[in-house]
Amino acid sequence: MRRELIKGNEAIVKAAILGGCRAFYGYPITPASEIAEAAALYMPQAGGVFLQAESEVAAINMIYGAASAGVRSMTASSGPGVSLMQEGFSYLAGSELPCVVADIMRGGPGLGNIAPEQGDYHQVVKCGGHGNYRTLVLAPDSVQEMCDLTLLAFDLADTYRNPVVVLADGYIGQMMEPVAFPDAAVMPSAPAWAVTGTAETRRNLVTSIYLEPDVLEAHVRKLEAKYRRAEQDAVRFESRETQDADIVLVGYGIVGRVLKEVVEAARAEGMRVGLLRPISLYPFPTEEIRRLARHAQAFAVVEMSTGQMLDDVRLALEGRRPIEFYSRVGGNVPATDAVLGFVRDALLKHVRAPEVIHA
Amino acid sequence: MPEFAVLHEKPHSFYSLYERKGELQHQTHYCPGCGHGIVHKLVARAIDELGIQNRAILVSPVGCSVFAYYYFDVGNVQVAHGRAPAVATGVKRAHPESIVISYQGDGDLAAIGSAEILHAANRGENITVFFVNNAIYGMTGGQMAPTTLVGQKSTTSPFGRNVWNEGSPIKVCELLNALDAPVYLERVALGSNKQIMAAARAVRRALEVQMRGQGFSLIEVLSPCPTIWKKDPVEAQHWVAEELVKTFPLGVVRDRTKDAPVRPASAAPPALDKIPGILGLEQDDPGPTVGGPAAREPVELAVKVAGFGGQGVLLLGEVLAEAGLASGLQVSWLPSYGPEMRSGTSNCHVRIATRPIASPLVLRPNVLLAMNEPSLRKFLPTVEPHGLVIYNGAACPADCLRPDVTLIAAPFAQLADGLGGARAANIAMLGALLEAAPVPFESQVPNVLRKLVRSPKWLEIDLAALARGRQAARQEVAS
């Protein structure tokens, strides 16, 4: 194990290279630029390709080319740039090409600002491109997870032949924490379906066009089955103190870290509060939320958006339990004290506390 | 004598039956008289003649030639509208030995994909582009193209292309000729057999440029579209030869095949066991010291460092975090970032603790290092009771006092200036912190400075500032 104090954005690149990624195409944007900068520094030394593209549109299509050619490849951006990549996500998913994209979220809409926000959930998790496709989405809450989930993302991308997004925010990207990196993985050989300019792969075709409705339907059903399989096999979450929780907090990314502090403080005050932190945002831990709903009396979602992941919690609960929502946007991060107050109110509102009733 | 013999047989690089096509697998999907069939055959024949069928990768665009992969018995990648040069870049750079062909129409290349072609050409990507220009959008039913002639009617220029509304036709070869990198640019036409023969030569030359590793080549082919032009195939061919060429003159626009250098081959990739070293991860970490400082009293430092950009706020935080880590403690460092780093205020949050760190945010610090007065005013009220505040100033302003915290004020910038650099004020304040709040990682600080401060001169100043800061804190506490 090799540990170093490192920025989230740099950890992504080192993990990617250790995981066999040898192509990075990207366009700079705050707060994701360190990813391109680290890739520019390390990728050529590792025998890979780094290229600063003319736009995010070009970058994601260069990734399409590298992925078609069977190379583990990645790009990185933030909200506005990820919007420009949506066309590419749809084609990559349609052509069943693996790749990894890091989205280091900033404030929006429009230019917004460069402070951390979680406003890309809809465009990334619900997919802003056209057609029936999904991207698998992993949400790190620490720099160690920036490393671990990037490595996992490459494996998932290959397993499902689909783009995988590492969805972080400006703080997770910019902050430094110690990371234990693994050894370099054995370089994966190009998959059998890749187009590599050899006699063996001459009959291979990468495409997303299927003119005949029946043929396209069969293709879309195949993708759909793949996503159903991911929903069974690729759900990841962290659960803290949920066993006896009256209220389960739900939050991801940097909010997950704040909520860990909130849970500690709440428990210290005697409130039975737990945390469910989705690590995979798609597939979403729907079944776990339903399982927790058997004993938890209410759920409280905290997000740095006006309520995007909230929709998925609602869909998971299907009205089984009430949901409270706390939100900060614009680059503001929920403060522990404020969330603690919100949790106290939620408890009073939703949880029957016998000792209070008899008092 | 003609330079080329005309072969009326299918090139090897075409499939013998177009199985991917579904029905009518013996014929193409192109209209009678369409130029794509001719360009396809010229490309396939050149692939045969050059012996590159196994190495060739065809990138099919969006447009009438979206199904080029029905026909070419080579590696095939079908892509989004206009993006073929970007995809070709990704493919070629993954496999420099392959021969990558980007096949595009006028809307694909000169309108929606204008950025991708311009930059691929400007990078001198070692790819070959065949650009079929028929001055109209064929597949979508006859809308205006960026190359539609002035006055030419289309479904979206029903009164004829008007330069005041739609501008003039884009001359792609001439446009790309403004760039340094392209090696070979030629415009050919399919208006007559003679023109087709010239086109065949150009197609082959362009592929040879790539095979030699010289870089970017593009052949623009003026091509008939009888269906949309509402002409019979012969009339359409005449219109190419007589009308299109007036706007798009034929000929070699750029030829640097004689003097363009061959792109250097990329170096062999390093062995896998070299990768961690390349990434700066070569040293095995001994892990937290058992029975070391971490095993002593619990530590729970929540530090806010704040000041102006350029004062070394972030570095000060980083030294603290690195020293904590070196002592086997849990650490986190979270900066303000972006424009704030270049001007205005800057701050960072550092946590050093025995326990795992829940949130890296420090909203209620127990240590505040305020490098200027605005930062003191802003963050002093947030400091936890019994906390420590170190302020870079001779004295705290009278209205900035809190009896429930320990306040240490000293002109750290001046002290550091006396040692050779006011920029070491941050490290002087770190010295004061180590003096005022003895922490279990203080012995690591000089080592960390040696690691993070590359300049020997500044390292010397910083080490002196560290000692001077401690001294100042001792005096301050004593007084």
Side-chain angles (χ1 to χ4, degrees):
Chain A
M1 284 292 188
R2 301 171 167 88
R3 290 174 95 234
E4 76 166 329
L5 187 67
I6 185 171
K7 265 193 179 190
N9 282 344
E10 288 165 28
I12 282 185
V13 174
K14 293 189 179 186
I17 291 173
L18 291 170
C21 174
R22 289 295 181 273
F24 185 101
Y25 295 93
Y27 189 85
I29 182 169
T30 307
S33 292
E34 293 86 357
I35 303 178
E37 289 165 356
L41 179 64
Y42 296 122
M43 203 55 93
Q45 295 184 67
V49 175
F50 168 83
L51 185 63
Q52 180 168 324
E54 59 269 29
S55 68
E56 289 87 348
V57 175
I60 195 71
N61 281 283
M62 289 167 181
I63 295 292
Y64 185 102
S68 298
V71 173
R72 280 194 162 185
S73 52
M74 81 171 295
T75 186
S77 190
S78 183
V82 172
S83 301
L84 285 174
M85 291 181 181
Q86 292 292 349
E87 173 196 67
F89 294 165
S90 171
Y91 279 82
L92 284 154
S95 298
E96 296 194 85
L97 292 173
C99 72
V100 173
V101 179
D103 177 1
I104 312 300
M105 291 183 283
R106 57 186 251 170
L111 269 182
N113 64 22
I114 57 168
E117 210 183 61
Q118 295 180 324
D120 288 3
Y121 189 95
H122 276 163
Q123 71 158 339
V124 168
V125 179
K126 299 300 178 182
C127 299
H130 66 284
N132 292 289
Y133 78 96
R134 303 300 300 258
T135 49
L136 276 64
V137 185
L138 301 170
D141 84 334
S142 67
V143 181
Q144 182 66 56
E145 280 196 353
M146 287 290 248
C147 165
D148 298 346
L149 296 183
T150 298
L151 287 162
L152 175 64
F154 279 103
D155 289 341
L156 290 175
D158 283 347
T159 301
Y160 292 96
R161 284 186 60 180
N162 201 74
V164 179
V165 181
V166 175
L167 185 67
D169 56 75
Y171 270 161
I172 301 288
Q174 295 291 328
M175 73 189 203
M176 286 201 287
E177 286 180 323
V179 173
F181 287 98
D183 289 328
V186 174
M187 287 295 289
S189 50
W193 50 259
V195 178
T196 63
T198 57
E200 299 73 46
T201 63
R202 205 176 84 200
R203 290 303 301 255
N204 287 352
L205 165 67
V206 171
T207 188
S208 64
I209 186 169
Y210 300 92
L211 272 196
E212 287 298 321
D214 286 346
V215 178
L216 180 57
E217 181 166 37
H219 175 63
V220 172
R221 295 294 178 207
K222 179 186 165 201
L223 299 183
E224 184 189 20
K226 213 163 65 170
Y227 300 135
R228 293 290 95 82
R229 190 156 50 87
E231 287 169 9
Q232 291 300 314
D233 299 342
V235 174
R236 281 177 175 76
F237 56 85
E238 180 186 5
S239 205
R240 279 204 180 186
E241 313 255 12
T242 50
Q243 281 312 102
D244 65 339
D246 293 322
I247 285 200
V248 173
L249 303 176
V250 188
Y252 70 98
I254 190 71
V255 171
R257 297 294 291 273
V258 173
L259 295 184
K260 285 173 183 175
E261 197 169 76
V262 169
V263 168
E264 283 178 12
R267 289 273 167 180
E269 289 184 22
M271 295 188 278
R272 290 195 302 219
V273 174
L275 165 66
L276 180 76
R277 177 175 69 91
I279 294 173
S280 60
L281 296 176
Y282 180 79
F284 195 71
T286 302
E287 288 307 319
E288 179 63 10
I289 287 179
R290 287 180 186 162
R291 197 184 68 77
L292 294 176
R294 284 191 229 134
H295 63 75
Q297 297 183 47
F299 285 74
V301 176
V302 181
E303 259 185 285
M304 283 153 60
S305 81
T306 51
Q308 299 195 11
M309 183 189 67
L310 177 62
D311 290 349
D312 277 329
V313 180
R314 280 194 184 122
L315 288 170
L317 285 170
E318 288 177 324
R320 288 172 173 86
R321 289 286 182 263
I323 305 175
E324 294 293 326
F325 180 57
Y326 184 88
S327 145
R328 293 302 304 269
V329 291
N332 287 311
V333 181
T336 302
D337 289 352
V339 179
L340 201 56
F342 155 78
V343 170
R344 276 190 210 104
D345 292 346
L347 270 167
L348 281 175
K349 189 168 160 190
H350 297 293
V351 177
R352 294 165 58 86
E355 61 269 39
V356 174
I357 291 166
H358 297 307
Chain B
M1 282 291 287
E3 199 178 315
F4 282 70
V6 178
L7 294 177
H8 296 287
E9 61 188 37
K10 198 181 319 223
H12 293 298
S13 298
F14 278 155
Y15 291 119
S16 49
L17 203 62
Y18 307 137
E19 290 174 8
R20 284 175 176 148
K21 187 163 171 278
E23 57 188 9
L24 300 173
Q25 296 181 355
H26 61 289
Q27 65 186 52
T28 74
H29 74 288
Y30 295 114
C31 304
C34 170
H36 277 300
I38 299 171
V39 181
H40 280 21
K41 185 165 180 184
L42 299 182
V43 173
R45 266 188 57 186
I47 291 172
D48 283 0
E49 289 165 9
L50 296 169
I52 54 173
Q53 186 182 7
N54 287 336
R55 291 162 65 196
I57 298 174
L58 180 71
V59 181
S60 312
V62 170
C64 286
S65 49
V66 64
F67 296 120
Y69 63 82
Y70 282 174
Y71 313 113
F72 284 89
D73 183 3
V74 300
N76 277 287
V77 180
Q78 201 290 316
V79 306
H81 199 19
R83 317 301 176 212
V87 175
T89 297
V91 172
K92 181 72 181 185
R93 298 223 180 181
H95 298 294
E97 292 307 309
S98 61
I99 301 297
V100 179
I101 298 166
S102 178
Y103 189 108
Q104 300 183 261
D106 43 44
D108 193 80
L109 182 141
I112 194 167
S114 51
E116 284 78 6
I117 190 65
L118 189 78
H119 286 270
N122 190 52
R123 291 190 301 267
E125 290 296 338
N126 192 26
I127 61 172
T128 304
V129 181
F130 296 120
F131 166 42
V132 178
N133 175 4
N134 58 17
I136 201 77
Y137 280 48
M139 186 180 72
T140 47
Q143 295 82 15
M144 194 194 74
T147 51
T148 292
L149 302 187
V150 174
Q152 186 184 343
K153 289 181 179 173
S154 73
T155 59
T156 50
S157 58
F159 308 106
R161 181 175 186 151
N162 176 350
V163 293
W164 300 110
N165 198 48
E166 291 98 11
S168 297
I170 290 182
K171 298 179 181 69
V172 168
C173 283
E174 289 79 354
L175 188 72
L176 298 185
N177 194 32
L179 306 174
D180 288 343
V183 175
Y184 193 76
L185 304 169
E186 182 176 354
R187 184 179 291 118
V188 297
L190 305 179
S192 67
N193 288 352
K194 195 179 166 196
Q195 287 182 343
I196 292 170
M197 298 291 266
R201 281 190 292 274
V203 164
R204 189 176 156 137
R205 287 201 83 177
L207 286 169
E208 286 170 340
V209 168
Q210 182 178 174
M211 290 172 69
R212 285 194 296 269
Q214 288 182 297
F216 185 87
S217 58
L218 177 142
I219 305 301
E220 176 174 349
V221 185
L222 305 182
S223 177
C225 180
T227 302
I228 303 292
W229 293 354
K230 297 188 174 59
K231 298 181 193 304
D232 70 37
V234 175
E235 286 170 356
Q237 236 189 337
H238 287 157
W239 200 71
V240 169
E242 289 155 20
E243 294 301 322
L244 273 185
V245 297
K246 290 181 189 165
T247 298
F248 302 107
L250 302 184
V252 177
V253 176
R254 161 81 60 92
D255 183 358
R256 292 189 178 157
T257 51
K258 293 217 166 47
D259 54 354
V262 172
R263 299 165 77 87
S266 45
L272 266 191
D273 60 359
K274 303 284 183 215
I275 296 290
I278 288 167
L279 300 176
L281 303 171
E282 65 270 72
Q283 276 150 13
D284 281 323
D285 181 74
T289 323
V290 179
R296 292 204 301 262
E297 290 209 345
V299 179
E300 188 118 24
L301 276 177
V303 185
K304 174 75 69 78
V305 190
F308 291 128
Q311 281 188 309
V313 166
L314 302 186
L315 177 66
L316 172 46
E318 194 178 344
V319 173
L320 273 171
E322 285 276 11
L325 177 66
S327 302
L329 293 163
Q330 309 283 334
V331 300
S332 66
W333 173 96
L334 187 145
S336 58
Y337 59 84
E340 291 174 342
M341 296 194 311
R342 295 182 280 273
S343 64
T345 60
S346 170
N347 69 71
C348 69
H349 311 223
V350 177
R351 281 188 187 271
I352 302 171
T354 326
R355 302 187 311 139
I357 291 162
S359 171
L361 285 130
V362 176
L363 301 181
R364 292 200 318 219
N366 53 27
V367 174
L368 169 65
L369 302 173
M371 298 196 66
N372 60 19
E373 189 181 319
S375 297
L376 180 71
R377 290 187 180 279
K378 185 171 177 186
F379 294 114
L380 181 64
T382 68
V383 176
E384 290 274 17
H386 316 296
L388 170 66
V389 176
I390 299 177
Y391 171 56
N392 176 31
C396 284
D399 59 340
C400 262
L401 298 171
R402 263 183 62 178
D404 61 335
V405 300
T406 305
L407 265 164
I408 294 177
F412 293 101
Q414 285 168 32
L415 298 179
D417 199 25
L419 299 167
R423 270 165 54 199
N426 56 347
I427 306 301
M429 290 180 74
L430 175 59
L433 168 63
L434 299 184
E435 186 65 29
V439 285
F441 51 81
E442 59 173 297
S443 64
Q444 297 289 345
V445 169
N447 295 335
V448 170
L449 283 173
R450 282 182 199 103
K451 176 181 160 187
L452 295 181
V453 181
R454 298 272 160 83
S455 146
K457 177 193 153 202
W458 276 104
L459 178 61
E460 196 182 324
I461 294 172
D462 280 340
L463 290 172
L466 195 66
R468 188 70 187 82
R470 294 190 85 123
Q471 187 194 353
R474 268 196 303 276
Q475 289 166 349
E476 177 77 0
V477 171
S479 64

